[in-house]
PDB file of all heavy atoms in Angstrom:
ATOM      1  N   PHE H 891      25.318 -31.874 -18.296  1.00 98.00           N
ATOM      2  CA  PHE H 891      24.327 -31.021 -17.629  1.00 98.00           C
ATOM      3  C   PHE H 891      23.453 -30.313 -18.665  1.00 98.00           C
ATOM      4  O   PHE H 891      23.966 -29.824 -19.685  1.00 98.00           O
ATOM      5  CB  PHE H 891      25.020 -29.965 -16.766  1.00 98.00           C
ATOM      6  CG  PHE H 891      25.699 -30.519 -15.548  1.00 98.00           C
ATOM      7  CD1 PHE H 891      27.026 -30.938 -15.596  1.00 98.00           C
ATOM      8  CD2 PHE H 891      25.015 -30.620 -14.342  1.00 98.00           C
ATOM      9  CE1 PHE H 891      27.655 -31.453 -14.470  1.00 98.00           C
ATOM     10  CE2 PHE H 891      25.634 -31.131 -13.209  1.00 98.00           C
ATOM     11  CZ  PHE H 891      26.958 -31.548 -13.269  1.00 98.00           C
ATOM     12  N   PRO H 892      22.149 -30.244 -18.427  1.00 98.00           N
ATOM     13  CA  PRO H 892      21.288 -29.511 -19.362  1.00 98.00           C
ATOM     14  C   PRO H 892      21.627 -28.023 -19.345  1.00 98.00           C
ATOM     15  O   PRO H 892      21.921 -27.442 -18.291  1.00 98.00           O
ATOM     16  CB  PRO H 892      19.879 -29.762 -18.818  1.00 98.00           C
ATOM     17  CG  PRO H 892      20.074 -30.091 -17.381  1.00 98.00           C
ATOM     18  CD  PRO H 892      21.390 -30.801 -17.292  1.00 98.00           C
ATOM     19  N   GLU H 893      21.601 -27.411 -20.502  1.00 98.00           N
ATOM     20  CA  GLU H 893      21.963 -25.999 -20.611  1.00 98.00           C
ATOM     21  C   GLU H 893      21.068 -25.114 -19.752  1.00 98.00           C
ATOM     22  O   GLU H 893      21.507 -24.088 -19.238  1.00 98.00           O
ATOM     23  CB  GLU H 893      21.901 -25.543 -22.074  1.00 98.00           C
ATOM     24  CG  GLU H 893      23.141 -25.877 -22.870  1.00 98.00           C
ATOM     25  CD  GLU H 893      23.175 -25.163 -24.210  1.00 98.00           C
ATOM     26  OE1 GLU H 893      22.138 -24.552 -24.592  1.00 98.00           O
ATOM     27  OE2 GLU H 893      24.218 -25.215 -24.878  1.00 98.00           O
ATOM     28  N   TYR H 894      19.803 -25.517 -19.590  1.00 98.00           N
ATOM     29  CA  TYR H 894      18.898 -24.640 -18.846  1.00 98.00           C
ATOM     30  C   TYR H 894      19.263 -24.519 -17.365  1.00 98.00           C
ATOM     31  O   TYR H 894      18.817 -23.602 -16.689  1.00 98.00           O
ATOM     32  CB  TYR H 894      17.437 -25.074 -19.020  1.00 98.00           C
ATOM     33  CG  TYR H 894      17.085 -26.479 -18.591  1.00 98.00           C
ATOM     34  CD1 TYR H 894      16.951 -26.825 -17.252  1.00 98.00           C
ATOM     35  CD2 TYR H 894      16.831 -27.471 -19.544  1.00 98.00           C
ATOM     36  CE1 TYR H 894      16.600 -28.110 -16.864  1.00 98.00           C
ATOM     37  CE2 TYR H 894      16.485 -28.765 -19.171  1.00 98.00           C
ATOM     38  CZ  TYR H 894      16.364 -29.079 -17.819  1.00 98.00           C
ATOM     39  OH  TYR H 894      16.021 -30.352 -17.426  1.00 98.00           O
ATOM     40  N   PHE H 895      20.101 -25.436 -16.879  1.00 98.00           N
ATOM     41  CA  PHE H 895      20.573 -25.310 -15.495  1.00 98.00           C
ATOM     42  C   PHE H 895      21.444 -24.063 -15.329  1.00 98.00           C
ATOM     43  O   PHE H 895      21.545 -23.507 -14.236  1.00 98.00           O
ATOM     44  CB  PHE H 895      21.351 -26.568 -15.109  1.00 98.00           C
ATOM     45  CG  PHE H 895      21.942 -26.546 -13.722  1.00 98.00           C
ATOM     46  CD1 PHE H 895      21.143 -26.355 -12.597  1.00 98.00           C
ATOM     47  CD2 PHE H 895      23.314 -26.706 -13.540  1.00 98.00           C
ATOM     48  CE1 PHE H 895      21.686 -26.336 -11.319  1.00 98.00           C
ATOM     49  CE2 PHE H 895      23.869 -26.695 -12.270  1.00 98.00           C
ATOM     50  CZ  PHE H 895      23.056 -26.502 -11.155  1.00 98.00           C
ATOM     51  N   PHE H 896      22.039 -23.593 -16.428  1.00 98.00           N
ATOM     52  CA  PHE H 896      22.968 -22.466 -16.358  1.00 98.00           C
ATOM     53  C   PHE H 896      22.362 -21.154 -16.864  1.00 98.00           C
ATOM     54  O   PHE H 896      23.081 -20.172 -17.063  1.00 98.00           O
ATOM     55  CB  PHE H 896      24.233 -22.786 -17.161  1.00 98.00           C
ATOM     56  CG  PHE H 896      24.899 -24.060 -16.714  1.00 98.00           C
ATOM     57  CD1 PHE H 896      24.885 -25.189 -17.531  1.00 98.00           C
ATOM     58  CD2 PHE H 896      25.508 -24.146 -15.476  1.00 98.00           C
ATOM     59  CE1 PHE H 896      25.493 -26.372 -17.125  1.00 98.00           C
ATOM     60  CE2 PHE H 896      26.110 -25.327 -15.055  1.00 98.00           C
ATOM     61  CZ  PHE H 896      26.096 -26.446 -15.877  1.00 98.00           C
ATOM     62  N   ARG H 897      21.065 -21.144 -17.054  1.00 98.00           N
ATOM     63  CA  ARG H 897      20.427 -19.883 -17.429  1.00 98.00           C
ATOM     64  C   ARG H 897      20.506 -18.883 -16.274  1.00 98.00           C
ATOM     65  O   ARG H 897      20.583 -19.269 -15.111  1.00 98.00           O
ATOM     66  CB  ARG H 897      18.963 -20.120 -17.796  1.00 98.00           C
ATOM     67  CG  ARG H 897      18.759 -20.907 -19.072  1.00 98.00           C
ATOM     68  CD  ARG H 897      17.283 -21.217 -19.273  1.00 98.00           C
ATOM     69  NE  ARG H 897      17.060 -22.093 -20.431  1.00 98.00           N
ATOM     70  CZ  ARG H 897      15.923 -22.728 -20.681  1.00 98.00           C
ATOM     71  NH1 ARG H 897      14.897 -22.593 -19.839  1.00 98.00           N
ATOM     72  NH2 ARG H 897      15.808 -23.500 -21.738  1.00 98.00           N
ATOM     73  N   LYS H 898      20.466 -17.635 -16.621  1.00 98.00           N
ATOM     74  CA  LYS H 898      20.465 -16.590 -15.597  1.00 98.00           C
ATOM     75  C   LYS H 898      19.233 -16.739 -14.714  1.00 98.00           C
ATOM     76  O   LYS H 898      18.107 -16.829 -15.192  1.00 98.00           O
ATOM     77  CB  LYS H 898      20.466 -15.209 -16.249  1.00 98.00           C
ATOM     78  CG  LYS H 898      20.374 -14.058 -15.256  1.00 98.00           C
ATOM     79  CD  LYS H 898      20.380 -12.713 -15.979  1.00 98.00           C
ATOM     80  CE  LYS H 898      20.181 -11.563 -15.012  1.00 98.00           C
ATOM     81  NZ  LYS H 898      20.183 -10.240 -15.688  1.00 98.00           N
ATOM     82  N   ARG H 899      19.455 -16.783 -13.394  1.00 98.00           N
ATOM     83  CA  ARG H 899      18.354 -16.858 -12.437  1.00 98.00           C
ATOM     84  C   ARG H 899      18.344 -15.599 -11.584  1.00 98.00           C
ATOM     85  O   ARG H 899      19.368 -15.234 -11.003  1.00 98.00           O
ATOM     86  CB  ARG H 899      18.495 -18.079 -11.526  1.00 98.00           C
ATOM     87  CG  ARG H 899      18.036 -19.382 -12.137  1.00 98.00           C
ATOM     88  CD  ARG H 899      18.133 -20.527 -11.127  1.00 98.00           C
ATOM     89  NE  ARG H 899      17.535 -21.742 -11.652  1.00 98.00           N
ATOM     90  CZ  ARG H 899      18.116 -22.571 -12.502  1.00 98.00           C
ATOM     91  NH1 ARG H 899      19.350 -22.301 -12.908  1.00 98.00           N
ATOM     92  NH2 ARG H 899      17.512 -23.654 -12.929  1.00 98.00           N
ATOM     93  N   VAL H 900      17.207 -14.977 -11.494  1.00 98.00           N
ATOM     94  CA  VAL H 900      17.040 -13.796 -10.648  1.00 98.00           C
ATOM     95  C   VAL H 900      16.145 -14.182  -9.479  1.00 98.00           C
ATOM     96  O   VAL H 900      14.980 -14.528  -9.660  1.00 98.00           O
ATOM     97  CB  VAL H 900      16.428 -12.616 -11.428  1.00 98.00           C
ATOM     98  CG1 VAL H 900      16.285 -11.403 -10.506  1.00 98.00           C
ATOM     99  CG2 VAL H 900      17.284 -12.269 -12.643  1.00 98.00           C
ATOM    100  N   HIS H 901      16.708 -14.157  -8.299  1.00 98.00           N
ATOM    101  CA  HIS H 901      15.973 -14.499  -7.086  1.00 98.00           C
ATOM    102  C   HIS H 901      15.430 -13.205  -6.489  1.00 98.00           C
ATOM    103  O   HIS H 901      16.201 -12.380  -5.992  1.00 98.00           O
ATOM    104  CB  HIS H 901      16.886 -15.217  -6.094  1.00 98.00           C
ATOM    105  CG  HIS H 901      17.599 -16.401  -6.683  1.00 98.00           C
ATOM    106  ND1 HIS H 901      17.056 -17.670  -6.690  1.00 98.00           N
ATOM    107  CD2 HIS H 901      18.801 -16.496  -7.319  1.00 98.00           C
ATOM    108  CE1 HIS H 901      17.896 -18.497  -7.276  1.00 98.00           C
ATOM    109  NE2 HIS H 901      18.959 -17.818  -7.673  1.00 98.00           N
ATOM    110  N   ARG H 902      14.138 -13.045  -6.578  1.00 97.00           N
ATOM    111  CA  ARG H 902      13.529 -11.812  -6.079  1.00 97.00           C
ATOM    112  C   ARG H 902      13.307 -11.928  -4.575  1.00 97.00           C
ATOM    113  O   ARG H 902      12.600 -12.820  -4.099  1.00 97.00           O
ATOM    114  CB  ARG H 902      12.204 -11.538  -6.795  1.00 97.00           C
ATOM    115  CG  ARG H 902      11.584 -10.178  -6.432  1.00 97.00           C
ATOM    116  CD  ARG H 902      10.362  -9.877  -7.270  1.00 97.00           C
ATOM    117  NE  ARG H 902      10.720  -9.639  -8.662  1.00 97.00           N
ATOM    118  CZ  ARG H 902      10.386 -10.458  -9.656  1.00 97.00           C
ATOM    119  NH1 ARG H 902       9.692 -11.565  -9.412  1.00 97.00           N
ATOM    120  NH2 ARG H 902      10.744 -10.177 -10.887  1.00 97.00           N
ATOM    121  N   ILE H 903      13.953 -11.058  -3.816  1.00 96.00           N
ATOM    122  CA  ILE H 903      13.723 -11.001  -2.371  1.00 96.00           C
ATOM    123  C   ILE H 903      12.518 -10.098  -2.153  1.00 96.00           C
ATOM    124  O   ILE H 903      12.617  -8.870  -2.209  1.00 96.00           O
ATOM    125  CB  ILE H 903      14.969 -10.476  -1.629  1.00 96.00           C
ATOM    126  CG1 ILE H 903      16.162 -11.392  -1.912  1.00 96.00           C
ATOM    127  CG2 ILE H 903      14.706 -10.389  -0.130  1.00 96.00           C
ATOM    128  CD1 ILE H 903      17.465 -10.937  -1.282  1.00 96.00           C
ATOM    129  N   GLU H 904      11.386 -10.742  -1.963  1.00 95.00           N
ATOM    130  CA  GLU H 904      10.134  -9.995  -1.917  1.00 95.00           C
ATOM    131  C   GLU H 904       9.790  -9.586  -0.484  1.00 95.00           C
ATOM    132  O   GLU H 904      10.047 -10.323   0.471  1.00 95.00           O
ATOM    133  CB  GLU H 904       9.006 -10.835  -2.508  1.00 95.00           C
ATOM    134  CG  GLU H 904       9.206 -11.131  -3.989  1.00 95.00           C
ATOM    135  CD  GLU H 904       8.059 -11.931  -4.589  1.00 95.00           C
ATOM    136  OE1 GLU H 904       7.428 -12.703  -3.828  1.00 95.00           O
ATOM    137  OE2 GLU H 904       7.799 -11.783  -5.788  1.00 95.00           O
ATOM    138  N   ARG H 905       9.222  -8.425  -0.364  1.00 97.00           N
ATOM    139  CA  ARG H 905       8.751  -7.953   0.932  1.00 97.00           C
ATOM    140  C   ARG H 905       7.415  -8.635   1.244  1.00 97.00           C
ATOM    141  O   ARG H 905       6.460  -8.517   0.475  1.00 97.00           O
ATOM    142  CB  ARG H 905       8.569  -6.436   0.924  1.00 97.00           C
ATOM    143  CG  ARG H 905       9.858  -5.652   0.720  1.00 97.00           C
ATOM    144  CD  ARG H 905       9.590  -4.160   0.835  1.00 97.00           C
ATOM    145  NE  ARG H 905      10.784  -3.361   0.656  1.00 97.00           N
ATOM    146  CZ  ARG H 905      11.641  -3.053   1.620  1.00 97.00           C
ATOM    147  NH1 ARG H 905      11.424  -3.529   2.844  1.00 97.00           N
ATOM    148  NH2 ARG H 905      12.694  -2.299   1.386  1.00 97.00           N
ATOM    149  N   ARG H 906       7.360  -9.334   2.362  1.00 97.00           N
ATOM    150  CA  ARG H 906       6.129 -10.013   2.744  1.00 97.00           C
ATOM    151  C   ARG H 906       5.117  -8.984   3.235  1.00 97.00           C
ATOM    152  O   ARG H 906       5.384  -8.209   4.159  1.00 97.00           O
ATOM    153  CB  ARG H 906       6.399 -11.049   3.824  1.00 97.00           C
ATOM    154  CG  ARG H 906       5.174 -11.860   4.213  1.00 97.00           C
ATOM    155  CD  ARG H 906       5.528 -13.074   5.044  1.00 97.00           C
ATOM    156  NE  ARG H 906       4.345 -13.816   5.445  1.00 97.00           N
ATOM    157  CZ  ARG H 906       4.366 -14.999   6.051  1.00 97.00           C
ATOM    158  NH1 ARG H 906       5.529 -15.577   6.321  1.00 97.00           N
ATOM    159  NH2 ARG H 906       3.253 -15.618   6.381  1.00 97.00           N
ATOM    160  N   VAL H 907       3.943  -8.993   2.644  1.00 98.00           N
ATOM    161  CA  VAL H 907       2.907  -8.001   2.949  1.00 98.00           C
ATOM    162  C   VAL H 907       2.129  -8.438   4.195  1.00 98.00           C
ATOM    163  O   VAL H 907       1.733  -9.600   4.306  1.00 98.00           O
ATOM    164  CB  VAL H 907       1.944  -7.847   1.754  1.00 98.00           C
ATOM    165  CG1 VAL H 907       0.853  -6.826   2.068  1.00 98.00           C
ATOM    166  CG2 VAL H 907       2.719  -7.447   0.500  1.00 98.00           C
ATOM    167  N   PRO H 908       1.909  -7.517   5.135  1.00 98.00           N
ATOM    168  CA  PRO H 908       1.122  -7.887   6.318  1.00 98.00           C
ATOM    169  C   PRO H 908      -0.335  -8.120   5.958  1.00 98.00           C
ATOM    170  O   PRO H 908      -0.886  -7.432   5.080  1.00 98.00           O
ATOM    171  CB  PRO H 908       1.285  -6.672   7.241  1.00 98.00           C
ATOM    172  CG  PRO H 908       1.552  -5.528   6.315  1.00 98.00           C
ATOM    173  CD  PRO H 908       2.343  -6.106   5.177  1.00 98.00           C
ATOM    174  N   THR H 909      -0.973  -9.051   6.626  1.00 98.00           N
ATOM    175  CA  THR H 909      -2.389  -9.299   6.354  1.00 98.00           C
ATOM    176  C   THR H 909      -3.245  -8.225   7.026  1.00 98.00           C
ATOM    177  O   THR H 909      -2.837  -7.595   8.011  1.00 98.00           O
ATOM    178  CB  THR H 909      -2.818 -10.674   6.878  1.00 98.00           C
ATOM    179  OG1 THR H 909      -2.734 -10.681   8.312  1.00 98.00           O
ATOM    180  CG2 THR H 909      -1.944 -11.778   6.301  1.00 98.00           C
ATOM    181  N   ILE H 910      -4.433  -8.043   6.503  1.00 98.00           N
ATOM    182  CA  ILE H 910      -5.360  -7.050   7.056  1.00 98.00           C
ATOM    183  C   ILE H 910      -5.696  -7.382   8.503  1.00 98.00           C
ATOM    184  O   ILE H 910      -5.721  -6.499   9.378  1.00 98.00           O
ATOM    185  CB  ILE H 910      -6.645  -6.978   6.196  1.00 98.00           C
ATOM    186  CG1 ILE H 910      -6.308  -6.441   4.795  1.00 98.00           C
ATOM    187  CG2 ILE H 910      -7.698  -6.119   6.872  1.00 98.00           C
ATOM    188  CD1 ILE H 910      -7.467  -6.500   3.832  1.00 98.00           C
ATOM    189  N   ASP H 911      -5.930  -8.668   8.780  1.00 98.00           N
ATOM    190  CA  ASP H 911      -6.298  -9.066  10.141  1.00 98.00           C
ATOM    191  C   ASP H 911      -5.158  -8.851  11.126  1.00 98.00           C
ATOM    192  O   ASP H 911      -5.377  -8.438  12.269  1.00 98.00           O
ATOM    193  CB  ASP H 911      -6.727 -10.531  10.164  1.00 98.00           C
ATOM    194  CG  ASP H 911      -8.085 -10.746   9.518  1.00 98.00           C
ATOM    195  OD1 ASP H 911      -8.834  -9.750   9.386  1.00 98.00           O
ATOM    196  OD2 ASP H 911      -8.393 -11.888   9.140  1.00 98.00           O
ATOM    197  N   ALA H 912      -3.938  -9.141  10.692  1.00 98.00           N
ATOM    198  CA  ALA H 912      -2.787  -8.951  11.583  1.00 98.00           C
ATOM    199  C   ALA H 912      -2.606  -7.477  11.922  1.00 98.00           C
ATOM    200  O   ALA H 912      -2.343  -7.117  13.084  1.00 98.00           O
ATOM    201  CB  ALA H 912      -1.524  -9.500  10.938  1.00 98.00           C
ATOM    202  N   VAL H 913      -2.750  -6.616  10.939  1.00 98.00           N
ATOM    203  CA  VAL H 913      -2.632  -5.172  11.181  1.00 98.00           C
ATOM    204  C   VAL H 913      -3.748  -4.698  12.104  1.00 98.00           C
ATOM    205  O   VAL H 913      -3.525  -3.900  13.026  1.00 98.00           O
ATOM    206  CB  VAL H 913      -2.654  -4.397   9.849  1.00 98.00           C
ATOM    207  CG1 VAL H 913      -2.728  -2.895  10.095  1.00 98.00           C
ATOM    208  CG2 VAL H 913      -1.423  -4.738   9.015  1.00 98.00           C
ATOM    209  N   LYS H 914      -4.937  -5.219  11.891  1.00 98.00           N
ATOM    210  CA  LYS H 914      -6.075  -4.843  12.733  1.00 98.00           C
ATOM    211  C   LYS H 914      -5.823  -5.222  14.189  1.00 98.00           C
ATOM    212  O   LYS H 914      -6.070  -4.429  15.106  1.00 98.00           O
ATOM    213  CB  LYS H 914      -7.342  -5.537  12.218  1.00 98.00           C
ATOM    214  CG  LYS H 914      -8.602  -5.220  13.020  1.00 98.00           C
ATOM    215  CD  LYS H 914      -9.797  -5.965  12.438  1.00 98.00           C
ATOM    216  CE  LYS H 914     -11.050  -5.708  13.280  1.00 98.00           C
ATOM    217  NZ  LYS H 914     -12.217  -6.458  12.751  1.00 98.00           N
ATOM    218  N   ASP H 915      -5.317  -6.442  14.423  1.00 98.00           N
ATOM    219  CA  ASP H 915      -5.017  -6.887  15.784  1.00 98.00           C
ATOM    220  C   ASP H 915      -3.944  -6.017  16.423  1.00 98.00           C
ATOM    221  O   ASP H 915      -4.036  -5.654  17.609  1.00 98.00           O
ATOM    222  CB  ASP H 915      -4.544  -8.345  15.773  1.00 98.00           C
ATOM    223  CG  ASP H 915      -5.658  -9.321  15.429  1.00 98.00           C
ATOM    224  OD1 ASP H 915      -6.843  -8.919  15.484  1.00 98.00           O
ATOM    225  OD2 ASP H 915      -5.336 -10.482  15.098  1.00 98.00           O
ATOM    226  N   ALA H 916      -2.928  -5.678  15.641  1.00 98.00           N
ATOM    227  CA  ALA H 916      -1.831  -4.865  16.167  1.00 98.00           C
ATOM    228  C   ALA H 916      -2.308  -3.466  16.534  1.00 98.00           C
ATOM    229  O   ALA H 916      -1.951  -2.929  17.590  1.00 98.00           O
ATOM    230  CB  ALA H 916      -0.707  -4.787  15.135  1.00 98.00           C
ATOM    231  N   VAL H 917      -3.109  -2.882  15.680  1.00 98.00           N
ATOM    232  CA  VAL H 917      -3.615  -1.529  15.937  1.00 98.00           C
ATOM    233  C   VAL H 917      -4.505  -1.519  17.178  1.00 98.00           C
ATOM    234  O   VAL H 917      -4.428  -0.608  18.017  1.00 98.00           O
ATOM    235  CB  VAL H 917      -4.382  -0.992  14.708  1.00 98.00           C
ATOM    236  CG1 VAL H 917      -5.138   0.290  15.049  1.00 98.00           C
ATOM    237  CG2 VAL H 917      -3.410  -0.749  13.559  1.00 98.00           C
ATOM    238  N   GLU H 918      -5.320  -2.527  17.319  1.00 98.00           N
ATOM    239  CA  GLU H 918      -6.194  -2.604  18.484  1.00 98.00           C
ATOM    240  C   GLU H 918      -5.367  -2.709  19.770  1.00 98.00           C
ATOM    241  O   GLU H 918      -5.712  -2.098  20.793  1.00 98.00           O
ATOM    242  CB  GLU H 918      -7.116  -3.813  18.363  1.00 98.00           C
ATOM    243  CG  GLU H 918      -8.041  -4.044  19.553  1.00 98.00           C
ATOM    244  CD  GLU H 918      -8.941  -2.858  19.871  1.00 98.00           C
ATOM    245  OE1 GLU H 918      -9.265  -2.074  18.956  1.00 98.00           O
ATOM    246  OE2 GLU H 918      -9.304  -2.702  21.057  1.00 98.00           O
ATOM    247  N   LEU H 919      -4.283  -3.461  19.717  1.00 98.00           N
ATOM    248  CA  LEU H 919      -3.421  -3.580  20.894  1.00 98.00           C
ATOM    249  C   LEU H 919      -2.728  -2.255  21.200  1.00 98.00           C
ATOM    250  O   LEU H 919      -2.716  -1.800  22.353  1.00 98.00           O
ATOM    251  CB  LEU H 919      -2.372  -4.673  20.654  1.00 98.00           C
ATOM    252  CG  LEU H 919      -1.325  -4.874  21.765  1.00 98.00           C
ATOM    253  CD1 LEU H 919      -1.994  -5.258  23.081  1.00 98.00           C
ATOM    254  CD2 LEU H 919      -0.305  -5.927  21.346  1.00 98.00           C
ATOM    255  N   ILE H 920      -2.159  -1.624  20.200  1.00 98.00           N
ATOM    256  CA  ILE H 920      -1.456  -0.350  20.414  1.00 98.00           C
ATOM    257  C   ILE H 920      -2.416   0.707  20.942  1.00 98.00           C
ATOM    258  O   ILE H 920      -2.077   1.500  21.838  1.00 98.00           O
ATOM    259  CB  ILE H 920      -0.786   0.126  19.111  1.00 98.00           C
ATOM    260  CG1 ILE H 920       0.304  -0.871  18.681  1.00 98.00           C
ATOM    261  CG2 ILE H 920      -0.187   1.521  19.284  1.00 98.00           C
ATOM    262  CD1 ILE H 920       0.884  -0.602  17.307  1.00 98.00           C
TER     263      ILE H 920
END
């Protein structure tokens, strides 16, 4: 196995950012 397969991996659980249009639609509905 290549050594790089065993390098430390950090999986970033990123917060998905709402789009401007989606927020606009939601606000208009509310």
Side-chain angles (χ1 to χ4, degrees):
F891 290 90
E893 277 192 350
Y894 59 76
F895 178 57
F896 304 110
R897 292 174 186 166
K898 176 180 176 180
R899 280 184 173 80
V900 181
H901 307 272
R902 186 174 291 112
I903 301 177
E904 296 182 331
R905 296 184 180 274
R906 184 167 178 172
V907 179
T909 66
I910 294 173
D911 288 341
V913 172
K914 180 181 177 182
D915 290 345
V917 169
E918 177 57 28
L919 176 60
I920 296 171

